[in-house]
Amino acid sequence: MSGHCEIERKYLLHMPDVPALRAMDGCRVWEIEQIYLRSEPGVTRRIRRVAEQGETRYYRTEKRRLSALSSDEREAQIDAMEYASLRCEADPALKPIEKTRLRIPFEGQTLEIDLYPFWQDRAILEIELGREDEPVHIPEWLRVAREVTDDKRYRNVRLAASVPQDALD
């Protein structure tokens, strides 16, 4: 598995105009299933199935949190058989996460807007950065309710256990 330092900021959005986003130049749509595996404390392990335009890819990922913004992430593409085999290591306390991810290029960054079936009024925006102090560019056509980078409840592994339903503003 290859590793790198993932630096990411995360924002809670009011539900955007999804058809308009899908129609934007360069928008890629990923249908994602991710399953969290049993792991030791301080480590998050998951497998992910990504479907895009009739093609399906599978990944195995291991993360260790370094700070609120950064993680040591090791990821490898795997085949369907390994994905199926690893499913038996699923953490029974965590539900699989299904989401649609819209990946939109914007001002040199990629906006990753995650739409979940359990929310009709909100979405999550993730932006990967090259360094922790890199400026974030959020377009005016997205309505940010608040930044949730430091709010552990909005990490996918936590969403697999419990979905926050607090007010947007």
Side-chain angles (χ1 to χ4, degrees):
M1 279 198 294
S2 63
H4 75 282
C5 182
E6 176 190 59
I7 302 168
E8 172 178 271
R9 301 222 11 217
K10 191 177 273 203
Y11 300 86
L12 184 64
L13 300 177
H14 294 270
M15 185 58 76
D17 182 343
V18 175
L21 295 179
R22 285 177 175 260
M24 295 184 91
D25 281 344
C27 180
R28 295 176 63 189
V29 179
W30 290 1
E31 297 298 336
I32 298 173
E33 174 191 64
Q34 60 192 43
I35 297 171
Y36 288 92
L37 308 177
R38 291 183 299 272
S39 60
E40 62 188 67
V43 176
T44 301
R45 295 174 57 230
R46 73 166 186 238
I47 52 175
R48 180 183 272 180
R49 182 185 69 218
V50 178
E52 179 184 20
Q53 295 183 337
E55 179 186 326
T56 302
R57 298 179 308 278
Y58 303 90
Y59 299 91
R60 178 185 61 208
T61 305
E62 185 175 294
K63 287 186 181 189
R64 293 177 192 273
R65 178 102 2 228
L66 302 173
S67 72
L69 296 178
S70 301
S71 296
D72 176 37
E73 179 179 84
R74 299 183 186 285
E75 186 168 75
Q77 190 164 347
I78 59 176
D79 62 28
M81 286 182 57
E82 186 174 356
Y83 182 82
S85 174
L86 286 168
R87 286 180 71 113
C88 70
E89 295 181 34
D91 185 328
L94 303 174
K95 297 183 287 279
I97 291 282
E98 293 185 6
K99 61 185 176 182
T100 299
R101 173 169 283 178
L102 306 178
R103 301 190 75 226
I104 302 168
F106 182 76
E107 294 189 10
Q109 296 174 332
T110 300
L111 308 175
E112 295 183 335
I113 301 164
D114 288 343
L115 309 167
Y116 298 89
F118 45 76
W119 283 329
Q120 303 307 306
D121 64 340
R122 65 191 73 194
I124 298 287
L125 167 64
E126 295 180 359
I127 302 174
E128 286 196 27
L129 306 170
R131 59 183 201 283
E132 286 197 4
D133 63 349
E134 180 179 339
V136 171
H137 306 287
I138 300 175
E140 60 188 37
W141 34 266
L142 289 177
R143 290 181 29 228
V144 173
R146 65 183 171 275
E147 183 170 2
V148 293
T149 302
D150 291 330
D151 190 337
K152 293 177 183 173
R153 297 175 306 149
Y154 289 95
R155 292 192 182 138
N156 281 297
V157 68
R158 294 288 182 96
L159 293 177
S162 175
V163 177
Q165 298 293 340
D166 52 333
L168 282 171
D169 293 316

